[in-house]
Amino acid sequence: MPEETEIHPAERLLRLLAGGASAEELGEAGAAAPGSGALALRVHRTLAQHRRREAQLTALFDTATDLAASRDLDAVLQAIVRRARLLLGTELAYLTLPDEEAGDTYMRVTDGSVSPLFQTLRLELGEGLGGLVAQTARPYATPDYRTDARFHHTRNIDAGVLDEGLVAILGVPLLLEKQVIGVLFAADRNPRPFSPDEVALLCTLAAHAAIAIDTARALDDTRAALADLAAANAVIRAHSAAMQRAEEAHDRLTDLVLRGGEVPAVAEAVSALLGGGIAVLDPDGQRLAEGAREAGGAGETAEPDVSALVAESRAAGRAVEADGRWVCAVLAGQELLGSLVLTGRPKLEDADRRLFERAGVVTALLLLLRRSVAEAENRVRGELLTDLLDSPQRDPAGLLQRGLRLGIDLRRPHVLLAARVGAAGARGRLASAATRLLFGRGGISAEHGEGVVLVLPAEAEPGSGSSAASLWSASSASSVAAGAAAQLTQLTGAPVTVGAAGPAGGIAELAAAHAEALRTLRALCALGREGDGACATDLGFLGVLLGEGHDVRGFVQETLGPLLAYDDRRGTELVHTLDAYFACGGSLTRAKDALHVHVNTVVQRLDRVEALLGPDWNHPERALELQLALRLHLLTS
C-alpha cells in the first residue's frame, strides 16, 4: 500500500473550521502551528458571533412580526418583556410606563419576577437606573446595581431590588418621536456584564416595542372612539325617534284642537300614544273622559289619593308618579282646571313624560276653549232666561223657538233654582260659579234680581253619555237644591242659599216655578238657613203657604197619613181624638167630655198617635203643623 501523505497543520485547521469543530479541538490542532492556530481561533470566534447575531436578528424579526400582529395592549406589553428575556437570556425582564397624573413611572409588566414588592415599585424621575433612563432617554447597564454609585438609590427601590434578588440590570428607553413612553429592562440575579451588542439588541427591540405600543394604544383609542361613536349614534337615533314621535304626537294633538275635538278625543289619543289608561278629571275629581280603561266606567270618582298627587303636580309644575300612577295637573296659570291620570305605565321615559305633560297643556286649552264657548253661549241663554222671567206672556212661542235654537227645549221638565250669596261683592263670583256648575251638564243661568237663577234639565237628554248630565237624572228639586248649594258654596268661597221649584215645563209653568223658588229662597234666609238648599215641600206648612201650587192634599197626607190609614183599617177615631185634644187646649179632662169617652180612652188613643207619628208630635212646631193639617183635612174631606 502506498504511504499516506502527511497533512499540513494549516490545512488541518481549515478542515476543522469547515467541520464546525469546537474551540478546544482547534486549540489542540493549533499547537503544531501556533500562528495558524491563533488565527483559526479568531475565525472561530468571528463565525460564532455572526451565527449568534444572525440568530438574534432572526428572533428580533420574529418578535417584530408578532408585535405587529398583536392588537391588544396588554398582550403587546407581555410579548415585549417575554421576548426581551429570551433574546438576552436573562432571568428577568420587565417594563415600566409613565403615570401622567402622578408624575412618576410604575411597574406595568414583569416576566420571571417572584417578588410582589418589586412588582408594585414606583420610580420618580431620575431615581434608580430606570428613573435615569427615563430622564435622559439613554440606555444604562450595570453588572451589580447594588454597588453602582452612578444611580440615585432610594430605600423603596433598593428594597424592591433586594427582595427580587437582582444584581445585573440593563435598561433602555422606549422612544416615540424623541419622547420616552416607557423603559424596557433585562436583569439577572448574578453579576453579569452586558455587551454593546446586547445593549444594541435590546434598544432595537425597544424601538419595535414603542411602535407596537403606540399602535395598540391607537387601536384602543380607535375602539373607544368607535364605542363612543356607536353610543352617541344610539343616543342620536333614540333622540331622533323621540323627536319624531313627539312631533307626530304634537301634530295629532294640534289637529284635534284645530278640528274642534273634545276632551274624550284627547284622552283616546294620549292613551294610544302612551299605551296606558287615561282619565281626565275635573277639579273635584269627577271623571270627565277616559281612554283605554280596563275597568271602571263613566261617573267614577277619582281614587282618594289622586287629590294629593294633583296638588303635588300643581306645585311642581310637572307630572308626578306614585304607586304606578302618573298624574299631571291641568292648569291655566294658577287656576286648576282638572287633571290627567295615567295608569298601566309605571315607568315613563323623559320623552313620554313630556308628551304626557304636553297632553295636559292641550287639555287645558280645550277646557278653556269649552269654557269660553260656554260662557258666550250662556250670555245668550241668559238673555233668554231674563226675558222668560220678566215677560213670559209677551211672546211664549218666540221664547220656545229661541230656546230650541240654543239647544234648550223649554217644554221639557226643568228644575228652577234661585241662588243668593250673603257675602258682599260676591255676586259676580256666584254668577261665574253657576256657569262652572252647569259646564257640561246642560241648562242655563243668569244674574237676576239680587242673585242668580239656574234652569236645569230634570233628566239627562236622550242619548247623552255624559256622567255629569246624569247628575240631575231622577233627582227631586229638594236634592238638586241641596247639591247645588253645596257646590256653589265651594266654588264661591261664601255661603250660597238656594231655593228650588219644579220640575216644570212650558213658559208659564217655568215662570211660576221661578216665583216659587224665589219665595222659598226668601223663607230660607228668614229662617236663618243661609248656605242651605231646599224646595217648598222641605219647609212643611210654610211650604204649603209659599208654594204656588198649594198642594193641600199632599201636605195633609204627608202630615196625617199614618193616622188616616190606621183609622181606615181599624175603624178608630184617632184623627177625631187628636182634633178634640188640640181644640181643648191639650186638656185630657175637657177632651174626654167633648168625645164622651173615659179619660183612659183618650190617653190610650194619644199613646197610639205617639206610636204612629213619633214622640215629638206634641212639640210646639210639630203640633202647629198637625193642627194646620187637621183644619185643612176638615175643609177638604
Side-chain angles (χ1 to χ4, degrees), residues 67-132:
L67 293 177
S70 182
R71 294 292 182 266
D72 180 69
L73 179 60
D74 289 334
V76 167
L77 297 177
Q78 195 64 48
I80 289 170
V81 296
R82 185 178 300 110
R83 290 287 183 166
R85 183 183 178 192
L86 293 175
L87 286 174
L88 271 71
T90 57
E91 296 176 281
L92 183 69
Y94 53 97
L95 184 146
T96 61
L97 294 178
D99 187 335
E100 300 295 340
E101 294 184 1
D104 59 5
T105 59
Y106 66 99
M107 197 72 67
R108 180 66 170 82
V109 183
T110 63
D111 189 69
S113 172
V114 294
S115 168
L117 178 62
F118 181 78
Q119 294 166 14
T120 57
L121 276 180
R122 300 188 74 92
L123 294 77
E124 297 290 340
L125 195 65
E127 292 181 351
L129 187 149
L132 188 60

Coordinates of all heavy atoms in Angstrom, one line a residue, residues 67-132:
L67 N -45.3 41.3 17.3 CA -45.8 42.6 17.8 C -46.7 43.3 16.8 O -47.8 43.9 17.2 CB -44.7 43.5 18.2 CG -43.8 43.1 19.4 CD1 -42.6 44.0 19.6 CD2 -44.6 42.9 20.6
A68 N -46.4 43.2 15.6 CA -47.2 43.9 14.6 C -48.6 43.2 14.5 O -49.6 43.8 14.1 CB -46.5 43.9 13.2
A69 N -48.6 41.9 14.7 CA -49.9 41.1 14.6 C -50.8 41.3 15.8 O -52.0 41.0 15.8 CB -49.6 39.7 14.4
S70 N -50.2 41.7 16.9 CA -51.0 41.8 18.2 C -51.7 43.2 18.2 O -51.2 44.2 17.8 CB -50.0 41.8 19.4 OG -50.8 41.8 20.6
R71 N -53.0 43.1 18.7 CA -53.8 44.3 18.7 C -54.2 44.7 20.1 O -54.7 45.8 20.3 CB -55.1 44.0 17.9 CG -54.9 43.8 16.4 CD -54.4 45.1 15.8 NE -54.2 45.0 14.4 CZ -53.0 44.7 13.8 NH1 -52.0 44.4 14.6 NH2 -52.9 44.5 12.5
D72 N -54.0 43.9 21.1 CA -54.3 44.2 22.5 C -53.1 44.7 23.2 O -52.0 44.1 23.2 CB -54.9 42.9 23.2 CG -55.3 43.2 24.6 OD1 -56.3 43.9 24.8 OD2 -54.6 42.7 25.5
L73 N -53.3 45.8 23.9 CA -52.1 46.5 24.6 C -51.5 45.6 25.6 O -50.3 45.5 25.7 CB -52.6 47.8 25.2 CG -51.5 48.6 25.9 CD1 -50.3 48.9 24.9 CD2 -52.1 49.8 26.5
D74 N -52.3 44.9 26.4 CA -51.8 44.0 27.5 C -51.0 42.9 26.8 O -49.9 42.5 27.3 CB -52.9 43.5 28.3 CG -53.5 44.6 29.2 OD1 -52.8 45.5 29.6 OD2 -54.7 44.4 29.6
A75 N -51.5 42.3 25.8 CA -50.8 41.3 25.1 C -49.5 41.7 24.5 O -48.5 41.0 24.5 CB -51.7 40.7 24.0
V76 N -49.5 43.0 23.9 CA -48.3 43.5 23.3 C -47.2 43.7 24.4 O -46.0 43.3 24.2 CB -48.6 44.9 22.7 CG1 -47.3 45.6 22.3 CG2 -49.4 44.7 21.4
L77 N -47.6 44.3 25.5 CA -46.6 44.5 26.6 C -46.1 43.2 27.2 O -44.9 43.1 27.4 CB -47.3 45.3 27.7 CG -47.8 46.7 27.4 CD1 -48.5 47.3 28.6 CD2 -46.6 47.6 26.9
Q78 N -46.9 42.2 27.3 CA -46.5 40.9 27.8 C -45.5 40.2 26.8 O -44.5 39.6 27.2 CB -47.7 40.0 28.0 CG -47.4 38.8 28.9 CD -46.9 39.1 30.3 OE1 -47.6 39.9 31.0 NE2 -45.8 38.5 30.7
A79 N -45.8 40.4 25.5 CA -44.9 39.8 24.5 C -43.6 40.5 24.5 O -42.5 39.8 24.2 CB -45.6 39.9 23.1
I80 N -43.5 41.8 24.7 CA -42.3 42.5 24.7 C -41.3 42.0 25.8 O -40.2 41.7 25.5 CB -42.6 44.0 24.9 CG1 -43.2 44.6 23.6 CG2 -41.3 44.8 25.2 CD1 -43.7 46.0 23.8
V81 N -41.8 41.9 27.0 CA -40.9 41.5 28.1 C -40.5 40.1 28.0 O -39.4 39.7 28.3 CB -41.6 41.8 29.5 CG1 -41.8 43.3 29.7 CG2 -42.9 41.1 29.6
R82 N -41.4 39.2 27.4 CA -41.1 37.8 27.3 C -40.0 37.7 26.2 O -39.0 36.9 26.4 CB -42.3 37.0 26.9 CG -42.0 35.5 26.8 CD -43.3 34.7 26.5 NE -44.4 34.9 27.5 CZ -45.5 35.6 27.2 NH1 -45.7 36.1 26.0 NH2 -46.4 35.7 28.2
R83 N -40.1 38.4 25.1 CA -39.0 38.3 24.0 C -37.7 38.9 24.5 O -36.6 38.4 24.2 CB -39.5 39.1 22.8 CG -40.7 38.4 22.1 CD -40.2 37.2 21.3 NE -41.3 36.6 20.6 CZ -41.1 35.7 19.6 NH1 -39.9 35.3 19.3 NH2 -42.1 35.2 19.0
A84 N -37.8 40.0 25.3 CA -36.6 40.6 25.8 C -35.8 39.6 26.7 O -34.6 39.4 26.6 CB -36.9 41.8 26.6
R85 N -36.5 38.9 27.5 CA -35.9 37.9 28.4 C -35.3 36.7 27.6 O -34.2 36.3 27.9 CB -37.0 37.3 29.3 CG -36.4 36.3 30.4 CD -37.6 35.8 31.2 NE -37.1 34.8 32.2 CZ -37.9 34.0 32.8 NH1 -39.3 34.1 32.7 NH2 -37.4 33.1 33.7
L86 N -36.0 36.3 26.5 CA -35.5 35.2 25.7 C -34.3 35.6 24.9 O -33.3 34.9 24.7 CB -36.6 34.7 24.8 CG -37.8 34.0 25.5 CD1 -38.9 33.6 24.5 CD2 -37.3 32.7 26.2
L87 N -34.3 36.9 24.3 CA -33.3 37.3 23.4 C -32.0 37.5 24.2 O -30.9 37.2 23.7 CB -33.7 38.6 22.7 CG -34.7 38.5 21.6 CD1 -35.1 39.9 21.1 CD2 -34.1 37.7 20.4
L88 N -32.1 38.1 25.4 CA -30.8 38.3 26.1 C -30.5 37.2 27.1 O -29.4 37.2 27.7 CB -30.9 39.6 26.9 CG -30.5 40.9 26.1 CD1 -31.5 41.2 25.0 CD2 -30.3 42.1 27.1
G89 N -31.4 36.2 27.2 CA -31.1 35.0 28.1 C -31.0 35.4 29.5 O -30.2 34.8 30.3
T90 N -31.8 36.4 29.9 CA -31.8 36.8 31.3 C -32.8 36.1 32.1 O -33.8 35.5 31.6 CB -32.0 38.3 31.4 OG1 -33.2 38.7 30.8 CG2 -30.9 39.1 30.8
E91 N -32.7 36.2 33.5 CA -33.6 35.6 34.4 C -34.9 36.4 34.5 O -36.0 35.8 34.9 CB -33.0 35.4 35.8 CG -31.8 34.4 35.8 CD -31.2 34.3 37.1 OE1 -30.4 35.3 37.5 OE2 -31.5 33.4 37.8
L92 N -34.9 37.6 34.2 CA -36.0 38.5 34.4 C -36.0 39.6 33.4 O -35.0 40.1 32.9 CB -35.9 39.2 35.8 CG -37.0 40.1 36.3 CD1 -38.3 39.3 36.6 CD2 -36.6 40.8 37.6
A93 N -37.2 40.0 33.0 CA -37.4 41.2 32.1 C -38.7 41.9 32.6 O -39.6 41.3 33.1 CB -37.6 40.8 30.7
Y94 N -38.7 43.2 32.5 CA -39.8 44.0 33.0 C -39.9 45.3 32.2 O -39.0 45.7 31.5 CB -39.8 44.2 34.5 CG -38.6 44.8 35.0 CD1 -38.5 46.2 35.3 CD2 -37.5 44.0 35.4 CE1 -37.3 46.7 35.8 CE2 -36.3 44.5 35.9 CZ -36.2 45.9 36.1 OH -35.1 46.4 36.7
L95 N -41.0 46.0 32.4 CA -41.3 47.2 31.6 C -42.1 48.2 32.5 O -43.0 47.8 33.2 CB -42.1 46.9 30.4 CG -42.4 48.1 29.4 CD1 -42.4 47.5 28.0 CD2 -43.7 48.7 29.6
T96 N -41.6 49.4 32.5 CA -42.3 50.5 33.3 C -42.8 51.5 32.3 O -42.3 51.8 31.3 CB -41.3 51.2 34.3 OG1 -40.3 51.8 33.6 CG2 -40.8 50.2 35.3
L97 N -44.0 52.1 32.8 CA -44.6 53.2 32.0 C -44.9 54.4 32.8 O -45.0 54.3 34.0 CB -46.0 52.6 31.4 CG -46.0 51.5 30.4 CD1 -47.4 51.1 30.1 CD2 -45.2 51.9 29.2
P98 N -44.9 55.6 32.2 CA -45.1 56.8 33.0 C -46.6 56.9 33.4 O -47.5 56.6 32.7 CB -44.7 57.9 32.0 CG -44.9 57.3 30.7 CD -44.6 55.9 30.8
D99 N -46.7 57.5 34.6 CA -48.1 57.9 35.1 C -48.2 59.4 35.0 O -47.6 60.1 35.8 CB -48.2 57.4 36.5 CG -49.7 57.6 37.0 OD1 -50.4 58.4 36.5 OD2 -50.1 56.8 38.0
E100 N -49.0 59.9 34.0 CA -49.0 61.3 33.7 C -49.7 62.0 34.9 O -49.3 63.1 35.3 CB -49.9 61.6 32.5 CG -49.3 60.9 31.2 CD -48.0 61.5 30.8 OE1 -47.6 62.6 31.3 OE2 -47.2 60.9 30.1
E101 N -50.7 61.4 35.6 CA -51.3 62.1 36.7 C -50.4 62.2 37.9 O -50.4 63.2 38.6 CB -52.6 61.4 37.0 CG -53.7 61.5 35.9 CD -55.0 60.9 36.3 OE1 -55.1 60.4 37.5 OE2 -55.9 60.9 35.5
A102 N -49.8 61.1 38.2 CA -48.9 61.0 39.4 C -47.5 61.7 39.2 O -46.9 62.1 40.1 CB -48.7 59.6 39.9
G103 N -47.1 61.7 37.9 CA -45.8 62.3 37.6 C -44.6 61.4 37.8 O -43.5 61.9 38.0
D104 N -44.9 60.1 37.9 CA -43.8 59.1 38.1 C -44.0 58.0 37.1 O -44.8 58.1 36.2 CB -43.7 58.7 39.5 CG -45.0 58.0 40.0 OD1 -45.9 57.8 39.1 OD2 -45.2 57.6 41.2
T105 N -43.2 56.9 37.3 CA -43.3 55.7 36.5 C -43.7 54.5 37.4 O -43.3 54.5 38.6 CB -42.1 55.4 35.7 OG1 -41.0 55.2 36.6 CG2 -41.7 56.5 34.7
Y106 N -44.3 53.5 36.8 CA -44.7 52.4 37.7 C -44.5 51.1 36.9 O -44.4 51.1 35.7 CB -46.2 52.5 38.0 CG -47.1 52.4 36.8 CD1 -47.8 51.2 36.5 CD2 -47.4 53.5 36.0 CE1 -48.6 51.1 35.4 CE2 -48.2 53.4 34.9 CZ -48.8 52.2 34.6 OH -49.7 52.1 33.5
M107 N -44.4 50.0 37.6 CA -44.1 48.7 37.1 C -45.4 48.2 36.4 O -46.4 48.0 37.0 CB -43.7 47.7 38.1 CG -43.1 46.5 37.6 SD -41.4 46.8 37.0 CE -40.5 47.2 38.5
R108 N -45.3 48.1 35.0 CA -46.5 47.7 34.3 C -46.6 46.2 34.0 O -47.6 45.6 34.2 CB -46.5 48.5 32.9 CG -47.7 48.2 32.0 CD -49.0 48.7 32.6 NE -50.1 48.7 31.7 CZ -50.8 47.6 31.4 NH1 -50.5 46.5 32.0 NH2 -51.8 47.7 30.6
V109 N -45.5 45.6 33.5 CA -45.5 44.2 33.2 C -44.1 43.6 33.6 O -43.1 44.2 33.5 CB -45.7 43.9 31.7 CG1 -45.7 42.4 31.4 CG2 -46.9 44.6 31.2
T110 N -44.2 42.4 34.2 CA -42.9 41.6 34.5 C -43.0 40.2 33.9 O -44.1 39.7 33.7 CB -42.7 41.6 36.0 OG1 -43.8 40.8 36.6 CG2 -42.7 43.0 36.6
D111 N -41.8 39.7 33.7 CA -41.7 38.3 33.3 C -40.6 37.6 34.0 O -39.4 38.0 33.9 CB -41.5 38.2 31.8 CG -41.7 36.7 31.3 OD1 -42.8 36.2 31.3 OD2 -40.6 36.1 30.9
G112 N -40.9 36.6 34.9 CA -39.8 36.0 35.7 C -39.7 36.6 37.1 O -38.9 36.1 37.9
S113 N -40.6 37.5 37.4 CA -40.5 38.1 38.8 C -41.2 37.2 39.8 O -42.3 36.6 39.4 CB -41.1 39.5 38.7 OG -41.2 40.0 40.1
V114 N -40.7 37.2 41.0 CA -41.3 36.4 42.1 C -41.6 37.3 43.3 O -42.2 36.8 44.3 CB -40.4 35.3 42.5 CG1 -40.3 34.3 41.4 CG2 -39.0 35.8 43.0
S115 N -41.3 38.6 43.3 CA -41.4 39.5 44.4 C -42.6 40.4 44.2 O -42.6 41.3 43.3 CB -40.2 40.3 44.6 OG -40.4 41.3 45.6
P116 N -43.7 40.3 45.1 CA -44.8 41.3 45.0 C -44.4 42.7 45.2 O -44.9 43.6 44.6 CB -45.8 40.8 46.1 CG -45.4 39.3 46.3 CD -44.0 39.3 46.1
L117 N -43.4 42.9 46.1 CA -42.9 44.2 46.4 C -42.3 44.8 45.1 O -42.5 46.0 44.8 CB -41.9 44.2 47.5 CG -41.2 45.5 47.9 CD1 -42.3 46.5 48.4 CD2 -40.1 45.3 49.0
F118 N -41.5 44.1 44.4 CA -40.8 44.5 43.2 C -41.9 44.8 42.1 O -41.7 45.8 41.4 CB -39.8 43.5 42.7 CG -39.1 43.9 41.5 CD1 -38.0 44.8 41.5 CD2 -39.5 43.4 40.2 CE1 -37.4 45.2 40.4 CE2 -38.8 43.8 39.1 CZ -37.7 44.7 39.1
Q119 N -42.9 44.0 42.1 CA -43.9 44.2 41.0 C -44.8 45.4 41.2 O -45.5 45.8 40.3 CB -44.8 42.9 41.0 CG -44.1 41.7 40.5 CD -44.9 40.4 40.8 OE1 -46.1 40.5 41.1 NE2 -44.2 39.3 40.7
T120 N -44.7 46.0 42.4 CA -45.5 47.2 42.6 C -44.7 48.5 42.8 O -45.1 49.5 43.3 CB -46.4 47.0 43.9 OG1 -45.5 46.7 45.0 CG2 -47.4 45.9 43.7
L121 N -43.4 48.4 42.4 CA -42.5 49.6 42.6 C -43.0 50.8 41.7 O -43.5 50.6 40.6 CB -41.1 49.2 42.1 CG -40.2 48.5 43.2 CD1 -38.8 48.2 42.6 CD2 -40.0 49.4 44.4
R122 N -42.7 52.0 42.3 CA -42.9 53.2 41.5 C -41.6 54.0 41.6 O -41.0 54.1 42.7 CB -44.1 54.0 42.1 CG -45.4 53.3 42.1 CD -46.6 54.2 42.4 NE -46.9 55.1 41.4 CZ -47.8 54.9 40.5 NH1 -48.5 53.7 40.4 NH2 -48.1 55.8 39.6
L123 N -41.2 54.7 40.5 CA -40.0 55.4 40.5 C -40.2 56.8 40.1 O -40.9 57.1 39.1 CB -39.0 54.8 39.4 CG -38.5 53.4 39.7 CD1 -39.5 52.3 39.4 CD2 -37.2 53.1 38.8
E124 N -39.7 57.7 40.9 CA -39.7 59.1 40.5 C -38.7 59.4 39.4 O -37.7 58.6 39.2 CB -39.4 60.0 41.7 CG -40.4 59.9 42.8 CD -41.7 60.6 42.5 OE1 -41.8 61.4 41.5 OE2 -42.7 60.2 43.1
L125 N -38.9 60.4 38.6 CA -38.0 60.8 37.5 C -36.6 61.0 38.1 O -36.4 61.8 39.0 CB -38.5 62.0 36.8 CG -37.9 62.3 35.4 CD1 -38.3 61.2 34.4 CD2 -38.4 63.6 34.9
G126 N -35.6 60.2 37.5 CA -34.2 60.4 37.9 C -33.8 59.4 39.0 O -32.6 59.3 39.3
E127 N -34.7 58.7 39.6 CA -34.4 57.7 40.7 C -34.1 56.4 40.1 O -34.8 55.9 39.2 CB -35.6 57.6 41.7 CG -35.9 58.9 42.5 CD -37.0 58.7 43.4 OE1 -37.7 57.6 43.4 OE2 -37.3 59.5 44.3
G128 N -33.0 55.8 40.7 CA -32.6 54.4 40.3 C -32.2 54.4 38.8 O -32.1 55.4 38.1
L129 N -31.9 53.2 38.3 CA -31.4 53.0 36.9 C -32.6 53.4 36.0 O -32.4 54.1 35.0 CB -31.0 51.6 36.7 CG -30.3 51.3 35.4 CD1 -29.3 50.2 35.5 CD2 -31.3 50.8 34.3
G130 N -33.8 52.9 36.3 CA -34.9 53.2 35.4 C -35.3 54.6 35.3 O -35.6 55.2 34.3
G131 N -35.2 55.3 36.5 CA -35.6 56.8 36.5 C -34.5 57.6 35.7 O -34.9 58.5 35.1
L132 N -33.3 57.1 35.8 CA -32.3 57.8 35.0 C -32.5 57.6 33.5 O -32.3 58.5 32.7 CB -30.9 57.4 35.4 CG -29.7 58.1 34.8 CD1 -29.7 59.6 35.2 CD2 -28.4 57.5 35.3

